Each structure stands twice: as structure tokens, then as C-alpha cells.
Amino acid sequence: MPDCDTTEVVVVGRGMFGSAAARHLSQGGVDVIAIGPDVFDPDHGSATIDEHDVFSSHNDEARLTRLQDRDEAWAQVTARALRDYQALEDASGVDFHHDVGCLIASRPVGDGRNPDPIAHLRERGIIHEYFGSGDRTWAGRWPRLDFPATHGVAFEPSPAGYIRPKRLIAAQETLTRRNGGTLLTDTVTGVHRLGAGAGFEIVTAAGRHVRSSKVVLAAGAFTNFNGLIETPVDLELKTEVVVLGEVTPADTDELARYPTVKYLNDGDVLDAIYMTPPVRYPDGRSYVKMGANTCLDTNPADLATAQRWFRTATDDSYLELLQPSLQALWPDVVFTSFRTRPCIVTYTPDRFPLIAEAQPGLVVATGGNGGGAKGSDAWGAMAADLILGS
Ligand SMILES: Cc1cc2nc3c(=O)[nH]c(=O)nc-3n(C[C@H](O)[C@H](O)[C@H](O)COP(=O)(O)OP(=O)(O)OC[C@H]3O[C@@H](n4cnc5c(N)ncnc54)[C@H](O)[C@@H]3O)c2cc1C
């Protein structure tokens, strides 16, 4: 038998949920090994696909955060995570939170698919300023933005804004390491149960073998692939494309403190637009990012299709859909370039993250449903609590 590392808990996946789970476990004194590959950057990836390649859903530079959420249960979990951002930044020395606030624009009746998110702000008593349809006084503060006069606009102030997902993971992992946890850069290619009460053997692409009493599977969109789980969990993957509009250095400075945007637009080709102000990307340039569900989205059902989606450049038809809406939101901003990037959203049947014991000693933590980043610290904490109690 090959040499084996042993540990109490292996966390498969060093993404948003996994890095949080590993940090909470290590902070509780649990011996933990977290295993996951480096983040793939679609702009710099190779065109070749290894049979086990996996990708993350946090592969760009900003994720919206706010107290307003899709329902009360989501809002409570997100609020718990938001409350702890500052402590996490202070303890790790890694900044990831930009509290620029969030503008939410919706018709008073929602868009026919989604209810009016501003009603949720009112119902939960979340502090906000409201500007009814036709009241454009908000434009005095954010003159470069535009919304249709049919839409009411609410401003949710700090701590709403955005987080930088890779930096949040770096904060979590700084602390996991400091707590004695181990981080391995590798891809898991099999999780094998060793028999009742005997734990698990985890095998990796690089030929490592790790034995553990328990496993947390936090592999995002790739949970049902690579032999990680005996019985697949009920997940629907959906392709998502974001457009990045490059802004000049002068506009970067001027727009940097503009709020994030959640916008229930009208129209059949885009649904539920979200946007961040200019953020610096690894290529040294600053981009406004906008995303939405589009009429071109598809549902990859197997590993090869999901891999191809991440490795293949998104074609111009996405840009044709997204670019006009981005420009309409910033009527006088001159974007110096545009690019699109692929991602995948992982949905569960009840549209709530799946944090559950799937087999004795194995907890699954996945199903961010397109909104899991902002509360990831709390979702990971739940997975850690659950595995300790299993
Ligand atoms: C375009 C886009 C925009 C979004 N915007 C927002 C937003 O504004 N606000 C918000 O809150 N949420 C947002 N989300 C959702 C959020 O990013 C996800 O909910 C979150 O990333 C889910 O975390 P996760 O840990 O489940 O998955 P991931 O972050 O994808 O992490 C899973 C990790 O598991 C690894 N992995 C997979 N298989 C294996 C394996 N076999 N071995 C080892 N490692 C493996 C992957 O490499 C990955 O790093 C957005 C998602 C997308 C796609």
C-alpha cells in the first residue's frame, strides 16, 4: 500500500465554502487537511484538458455582498458572515471587504420572475434610503449611473458592497495554516469508504493517499464528478457569463467608491443584472463587471461538458447580449475594451445551499445558487459544526 497521510477531517475543495469550513475546523483544534487545485484563470489557462481538471466559481475579482437577500433564511446566514468580516480581516491581515454600499433597482412589482427586492429591505428593517419611481435625486450622488424612471431605487449602505473572493479565501487559509491545518494543492480523484467506522481514503491526481475519519466535500459545481461521492446529490449546473468593461485610470479613481448594483431589468434576454464598480484585475487593468442570467445559458450535466465550458472562450454572442445593458447603466462612460468570462452557478432544488450529511462521516457543502460567496464563512461554519456532530 502507498504511504498515507492521516488526519481527522479532509476538506475536498479550497473554494469559498471549503476554505471557511477548514478554518472553522482548525480553529476548533481539529486536525484538518484541505485539498484543492490552484484557481484557474480563464484569461491565462491552457487549452488542454486533463481528465480530472476542476474549476472554481469564484474565479474573478469581486462578489456582491449585502444584508438584503432572497429570503429570511438566506439573510440570517449572510448577516452572520458579514458581522465577522472585520474580525477575519484583522486576524488574518488580509483585506477583502469593500463597503461601498449597494444600489437595488426594481419596479415596485418586481420583474415577473423575481419579487421586488426592496420589499425585503423594508420587511427586515434593513437600513436603506428609498427613491420611488421617477424620483431621480439619487443621481445627484451617483451621476454616472442610470436606471429607467419606471424603477424604484434603494441604497443599502455599508457594510453592503463587495468582497474579493480570492482574498477572502486567502484570509481563511492564512488562519487555517496558523491553526496547524495543512493545505495541499492537488485534485481529489476518489473518496473511498474503508468500511463501517474505519473512515475514508482520499486519492489525488498527483498520487497522494490520505486517510481521514471524516470528509467535508466542498467541491462546488464539481461535487458529483471525479468519484467524490457514492450517490450523486441533486444539483443543477448553469453556465453564467460576465462581461468586463475596462475603464480608464481617471474613471477608475472617480468610480471606485460607487456602489454595487442589483437591478431587476426588463426584457427577455437578460434576467437579474448584478454589477460591481471598477476593480483591479491580475492583468493590472480595472474593469466594471456585470453579469446576469441570459437566454444563451446551458446546463452542463457531466464532467467533460463542464470542463469544456471553462476552457473554451465565450463567443461574441454573449458580448452582444451583455454589452448594451452595461453601457445603458453607465451612459457616458467610455469603456476602452470589453471581454467576457465563463463561470458556473450550482443550483439545488430548494434554491438553498446544501449543507448535509450525505453518508455517515461525509458532509456535503455546496449549492451556492449564485449567491453563496457573501455568506460563505457562515455556510462553511455550518459544515464544520455538522461534521463534528456526525
Ligand atoms: C459569475 C458568478 C457571479 C457570482 N456573483 C456572486 C455575488 O455577487 N455574490 C455572492 O454572494 N455570490 C456570487 N456568486 C456565487 C458564489 O461565487 C458561489 O456561491 C461560491 O463560489 C460557492 O462556493 P463553493 O465553495 O461551493 O464553490 P467554489 O467557490 O467553486 O469552490 C469549490 C472548489 O472546489 C474545488 N474542487 C472541485 N472539485 C475538486 C476535486 N475533485 N478535488 C479538489 N478540489 C476540487 C474547485 O477547484 C473550487 O476551488 C457568483 C457565482 C458566479 C458563477
Side-chain angles (χ1 to χ4, degrees):
M1 211 201 64
D3 285 349
C4 253
D5 290 322
T6 57
T7 188
E8 274 177 89
V9 180
V10 161
V11 177
V12 179
R14 291 169 52 194
M16 306 227 64
F17 288 6
S19 64
R23 198 267 294 178
H24 283 283
L25 286 166
S26 67
Q27 197 159 296
V30 176
D31 188 21
V32 62
I33 296 180
I35 310 175
D38 284 333
V39 175
F40 166 72
D41 181 346
D43 285 343
H44 301 106
S46 82
T48 57
I49 299 176
D50 181 85
E51 62 170 317
H52 298 299
D53 273 356
V54 294
F55 303 88
S56 81
S57 292
H58 59 265
N59 63 25
D60 64 35
E61 298 301 317
R63 293 280 181 265
L64 276 69
T65 189
R66 58 182 180 276
L67 290 167
Q68 187 280 325
D69 219 322
R70 43 195 90 180
D71 64 26
E72 184 57 28
W74 270 91
Q76 283 186 17
V77 179
T78 302
R80 174 180 166 190
L82 253 166
R83 203 185 47 224
D84 291 341
Y85 285 174
Q86 184 67 56
L88 201 46
E89 289 186 326
D90 291 345
S92 64
V94 181
D95 293 339
F96 57 83
H97 179 210
H98 297 255
D99 62 344
V100 294
C102 181
L103 274 180
I104 303 175
S106 171
R107 287 177 184 272
V109 291
D111 65 0
R113 290 169 293 237
N114 307 288
D116 175 13
I118 298 172
H120 182 242
L121 283 171
R122 286 193 204 103
E123 285 155 17
R124 282 207 86 219
I126 297 167
I127 293 171
H128 67 283
E129 294 169 64
Y130 181 65
F131 309 89
S133 317
D135 172 2
R136 289 186 55 86
T137 46
W138 60 266
R141 290 199 356 238
W142 302 289
R144 309 286 299 275
L145 273 174
D146 195 26
F147 299 107
T150 46
H151 283 53
V153 174
F155 176 62
E156 186 190 319
S158 168
Y162 66 92
I163 52 173
R164 304 204 60 159
K166 289 183 265 184
R167 291 183 66 81
L168 171 51
I169 290 171
Q172 301 281 20
E173 296 203 326
T174 297
L175 296 174
T176 300
R177 236 186 254 109
R178 196 179 295 162
N179 295 332
T182 302
L183 308 173
L184 296 180
T185 302
D186 206 341
T187 301
V188 174
T189 55
V191 174
H192 308 289
R193 172 179 295 285
L194 293 172
F200 298 87
E201 183 169 39
I202 291 90
V203 183
T204 74
R208 288 189 173 95
H209 291 246
V210 182
R211 285 191 173 196
S212 66
S213 308
K214 299 178 179 184
V215 172
V216 174
L217 270 193
F222 291 77
T223 299
N224 286 331
F225 307 141
N226 275 313
L228 303 186
I229 190 162
E230 284 167 9
T231 308
V233 283
D234 195 356
L235 300 175
E236 181 188 46
L237 309 186
K238 186 194 74 74
T239 60
E240 180 121 336
V241 172
V242 297
V243 60
L244 301 178
E246 184 183 353
V247 295
T248 61
D251 277 345
T252 300
D253 291 344
E254 184 186 335
L255 306 180
R257 292 294 300 176
Y258 265 54
T260 54
V261 168
K262 173 179 171 127
Y263 169 35
L264 293 196
N265 56 303
D266 298 325
D268 296 329
V269 294
L270 297 187
D271 165 36
I273 287 175
Y274 52 90
M275 189 169 71
T276 61
V279 172
R280 200 175 155 88
Y281 275 64
D283 64 3
R285 301 171 187 210
S286 294
Y287 300 90
V288 170
K289 181 188 80 170
M290 194 198 85
N293 296 317
T294 79
C295 57
L296 298 176
D297 296 344
T298 58
N299 302 107
D302 54 59
L303 177 59
T305 312
Q307 289 172 327
R308 253 196 319 278
W309 169 251
F310 277 102
R311 286 288 193 208
T312 311
T314 42
D315 68 43
D316 287 346
S317 47
Y318 288 96
L319 193 56
E320 282 163 25
L321 286 186
L322 293 162
Q323 184 179 336
S325 295
L326 177 64
Q327 191 68 69
L329 283 165
W330 303 95
D332 72 351
V333 170
V334 177
F335 293 100
T336 51
S337 73
F338 292 98
R339 67 176 60 177
T340 55
R341 292 166 62 114
C343 198
I344 285 185
V345 171
T346 306
Y347 286 114
T348 55
D350 64 3
R351 298 295 190 256
F352 200 69
L354 176 68
I355 313 286
E357 191 173 22
Q359 305 166 22
L362 186 146
V363 163
V364 176
T366 184
N369 286 277
K374 55 190 178 307
S376 57
D377 183 55
W379 298 115
M382 280 185 205
D385 286 348
L386 196 57
I387 198 73
L388 290 180
S390 71

